[in-house]
Amino acid sequence: MQQFFPAAPSRAGACLSAACGTIGRMDADELLAALDPEQRAVALARSGPVCVLAGAGTGKTRAITHRIAYAVATGAVNPAHVLALTFTVRAAGELRGRLRALGGGAEAVRSTTFHSAALRQLSYFWPRVIGGRSPKLVESKLPLLREAARDLGLRMDGAAIAEAVTEIEWAKVCQVHPDSYVFAATEAGRGPSAGVEGTGRLYAAYEALRRDRQLIDFESVLELTAAILLTEPAVAREVHSAFRHFTVDEFQDVNPLQKLLLDAWLGGREELCVVGDPRQTIYSFTGATSEYLRSFTIDYPQATMVRLVRDYRSTPQVVAAANRLVAATASTAGPGGPVSPAGSDALVAQRPPGPEPVVTRYADEEAEATGVAAAIAALTRSGVPPHEIAVLLRINAHMERFERALADGGVPYMVRGAERFYDRPEVRQALVLLRGAARAAGAGTDATGLPGELPAAVRHVLASAGLTAAPPAARGAVRERWESLAAIAGPADDLTVARPAATLAEFAAELAERAETGHAPVAAAVTLATMHAAKGLEWDAVLLPGLTEGIMPIVHARTAEAVEEERRLLYVAVTRARVHLALSWSPARTPGAEASRQRSRFLPALQASAAGARG
């Protein structure tokens, strides 16, 4: 029966992340003593249902991991029967690391993503319920969609195909059949560039190809697992016996298909703890909805409700700006929702004061990019490390301009996308090369030609994958590949400082554990990322350029609901900053062009007390 459990991570290698510290053996009283009053209330609510409304930077991960550890320490739960669900491999790894550090049996808790848990169960039960081997998983919809488009005679470029992926994934998680897509998409106000009818035909053709070739995609994994649980009583009993207590992080991002699967796992039971923040709902376009979080106390009238409002991440100045931003909306919670943007839900800063946010008006976009690069250079001169600085943009199309400005200013940078670091082809290749070199070195092969020092040996191996001493002048894919390889080499320096005698094999094991937990290495460079990709991350200094109407909010946000999602996205971006927050905009696109653009409607709230405003 235990074969369908997600495997617990190994302790191979010397983990360098804070989450993988020395395993502790805290008793129940020590666990409670480490928490603030609200976090302690979460821990004391050992049985469900429990709803935790956790604002940005309020220590939600600390609260839920201590809740699990406290329940284990007091004998209220068997850790082997706890399933903690997250949305990303990185978040699951963070939970596992913290539970392992708390120890006392909490390290036996299964922490994984919805998709990983479902795929494990589907692969285990498929031979028994359906027969034969389970279908092959499609990692990307793009190849099948391109083929489907050709079969239909549709001419679609890469952007249109990528947009079709988003549309099909939205339809599938919302349980919209291809025959119903046109009606559902029209009702939802969706407007794919290929048109709803063309996209509907493409969706039907994609599903036909997928079924004919006996393939499953990530949405099929969730759907089929839920179907087996709901139609096979013996399977349901086995799973319900294994998993009896559930914790779901980022509950505001749950979509209807994930909720269907969660309900199947619960099987009518109420041992459920959910954690989320409606003010950080930024994935509605994918089908995610905060309605399940908002209606939790309606679905579970006896639920314990706890609000976490003490912000440990940001200075009072940043927190005040974030509070003003969400307080400016007419309604964040919606009809009947449990959350209001002000009052008891306003964040309360716990850090010492810092500088006021700076709002700057530049003449044009080129001047803005140059000014951002200059501001970053000034921050680094003042002592802020490059890796603690981020430039967050609303759309990817603006990335190249800031890449060019940073390169011209001699500022090291790296582009962070939504894809997982360890899924990048160059990263997978590098890990294979390092494992091979470690095996050769362990076998005493002299032909490896590796230098004696670990950092030099790692860079020697990665040179064959394209790592050079200096970054390439080219931008885009070439630069991103180099950044990935440089980021892999960086931890070798850290490991050598911590353990001078560390071997290449130990370094390879360290990287394997990082990959398993989604803990990407930190490069000594400024981060360039979209606001969506920054979710769950934080930096000492955050710069938010491009705050004009049509960009923030985006031009496609035509309804009041869509505009409020843009406000929440900006709120997420603002709350990534610990100390320094710089916001900017420009009325003209190019030097000498007409100053036709207006500043973002969201800026006045952020600028209310921004003494550093310029321009």
Side-chain angles (χ1 to χ4, degrees):
M1 180 174 69
Q2 303 240 344
Q3 293 179 46
F4 65 81
F5 286 5
S10 69
R11 288 293 296 166
C15 187
L16 300 176
S17 69
C20 299
T22 303
I23 295 179
R25 292 295 174 188
M26 301 179 72
D27 63 25
D29 291 338
E30 290 175 330
L31 288 166
L32 293 180
L35 305 175
D36 68 27
E38 294 79 22
Q39 293 169 347
R40 192 175 302 123
V42 174
L44 288 171
R46 294 180 298 176
S47 59
V50 178
C51 180
V52 182
L53 296 176
T58 56
K60 67 179 178 67
T61 305
R62 182 179 185 83
I64 59 176
T65 52
H66 278 68
R67 176 183 184 267
I68 293 170
Y70 182 73
V72 172
T74 56
V77 303
N78 179 337
H81 293 157
V82 178
L83 182 60
L85 296 162
T86 70
F87 286 83
T88 67
V89 171
R90 181 180 178 276
E94 177 75 7
L95 277 178
R96 283 197 298 268
R98 294 202 189 193
L99 290 168
R100 188 163 58 234
L102 292 173
E107 64 274 14
V109 167
R110 307 290 166 168
S111 175
T112 186
T113 64
F114 273 90
H115 286 100
S116 294
L119 182 60
R120 189 78 174 234
Q121 292 179 24
L122 183 64
S123 300
Y124 178 79
F125 288 113
W126 185 279
R128 182 198 309 180
V129 176
I130 309 299
R133 300 181 65 178
S134 58
K136 181 182 177 182
L137 178 66
V138 176
E139 295 284 348
S140 171
K141 294 181 177 65
L142 290 174
L144 276 183
L145 275 174
R146 292 191 188 100
E147 183 177 346
R150 285 196 301 270
D151 292 344
L152 292 172
L154 297 175
R155 291 190 174 184
M156 303 176 69
D157 59 18
I161 290 288
E163 187 180 33
V165 170
T166 299
E167 284 300 300
I168 290 172
E169 290 178 349
W170 168 81
K172 297 192 75 169
V173 302
C174 293
Q175 296 287 273
V176 174
H177 189 269
D179 294 342
S180 306
Y181 171 79
V182 172
F183 174 79
T186 302
E187 285 290 298
R190 301 183 75 86
S193 57
V196 292
E197 292 188 0
T199 303
R201 292 171 59 210
L202 188 61
Y203 178 18
Y206 164 82
E207 285 291 272
L209 280 176
R210 183 184 62 77
R211 290 196 178 97
D212 287 347
R213 297 176 187 179
Q214 297 185 322
L215 303 172
I216 55 174
D217 54 26
F218 286 108
E219 294 76 35
S220 304
V221 169
L222 302 184
E223 188 175 38
L224 290 169
T225 304
I228 289 175
L229 287 167
L230 294 171
T231 59
E232 298 291 332
V235 171
R237 284 193 297 271
E238 192 170 343
V239 173
H240 293 163
S241 175
F243 297 125
R244 304 175 188 179
H245 309 272
F246 296 82
T247 297
V248 184
D249 194 13
E250 304 287 4
F251 198 61
Q252 79 277 353
D253 291 333
V254 165
N255 62 49
L257 184 52
Q258 290 165 331
K259 183 61 163 55
L260 175 69
L261 178 58
L262 177 63
D263 289 343
W265 278 332
L266 281 165
R269 298 167 297 174
E270 297 190 345
E271 284 303 321
L272 172 65
C273 173
V274 301
V275 188
D277 181 5
R279 291 167 294 191
Q280 296 188 66
T281 303
I282 61 173
Y283 294 110
S284 295
F285 65 95
T286 68
T289 173
S290 62
E291 288 307 308
Y292 302 124
L293 178 61
R294 298 184 192 284
S295 64
F296 193 84
T297 54
I298 298 174
D299 297 335
Y300 299 95
Q302 305 304 315
T304 299
M305 173 80 74
V306 183
R307 287 178 167 85
L308 303 183
V309 297
R310 300 174 195 253
D311 187 308
Y312 297 96
R313 175 186 300 157
S314 305
T315 63
Q317 287 73 18
V318 173
V319 168
N323 283 337
R324 290 195 303 270
L325 179 62
V326 292
T329 182
S331 173
T332 298
V339 180
S340 61
S344 61
D345 292 308
L347 295 175
V348 181
Q350 305 297 301
R351 290 190 58 159
E356 288 285 353
V358 174
V359 181
T360 305
R361 176 188 183 276
Y362 292 97
D364 53 69
E365 289 183 347
E366 293 300 322
E368 184 176 30
T370 302
V372 165
I376 290 172
L379 283 168
T380 58
R381 287 195 299 271
S382 71
V384 181
H387 71 269
E388 285 293 357
I389 302 173
V391 179
L392 305 182
L393 306 171
R394 175 60 183 89
I395 54 177
N396 264 315
H398 292 173
M399 202 75 71
E400 194 274 339
R401 180 166 64 253
F402 289 92
E403 285 191 66
R404 186 172 63 250
L406 291 174
D408 291 345
V411 177
Y413 70 90
M414 64 175 292
V415 178
R416 185 184 187 104
E419 67 170 331
R420 296 205 300 260
F421 178 80
Y422 294 100
D423 285 345
R424 298 175 185 175
E426 66 271 18
V427 173
R428 292 199 297 266
Q429 179 192 11
L431 295 183
V432 170
L433 290 172
L434 287 168
R435 285 195 296 269
R439 285 195 297 270
T445 304
D446 295 332
T448 59
L450 294 176
E453 293 293 324
L454 177 63
V458 169
R459 286 170 173 82
H460 179 83
V461 173
L462 296 181
S464 63
L467 180 63
T468 55
R475 290 182 286 273
V478 173
R479 173 68 184 234
E480 290 178 27
R481 179 182 178 85
W482 184 90
E483 290 166 359
S484 297
L485 297 174
I488 292 173
D493 301 316
D494 299 331
L495 184 57
T496 301
V497 171
R499 299 176 57 191
T503 65
L504 191 60
E506 290 170 327
F507 178 69
E510 159 69 14
L511 288 178
E513 182 164 348
R514 282 173 175 260
E516 188 173 22
T517 60
H519 180 66
V522 177
V526 171
T527 297
L528 273 176
T530 64
M531 293 179 181
H532 280 100
K535 182 75 161 58
L537 304 173
E538 59 186 75
W539 296 268
D540 282 347
V542 170
L543 296 92
L544 304 176
L547 300 183
T548 61
E549 289 292 307
I551 298 175
M552 174 51 70
I554 197 73
V555 66
H556 309 300
R558 299 186 178 94
T559 66
E561 183 180 356
V563 169
E564 288 313 307
E565 177 125 340
E566 292 289 291
R567 185 192 302 275
R568 293 192 296 269
L569 179 58
L570 183 55
Y571 173 82
V572 167
V574 166
T575 55
R576 300 310 94 195
R578 299 191 192 103
V579 181
H580 303 277
L581 177 63
L583 311 108
S584 61
W585 69 287
S586 57
R589 295 196 63 180
T590 58
E594 180 184 359
S596 59
R597 296 191 305 188
Q598 301 297 316
R599 67 176 181 170
S600 168
R601 70 192 71 180
F602 304 137
L603 263 180
L606 292 168
Q607 196 171 359
S609 64
R614 297 195 297 268

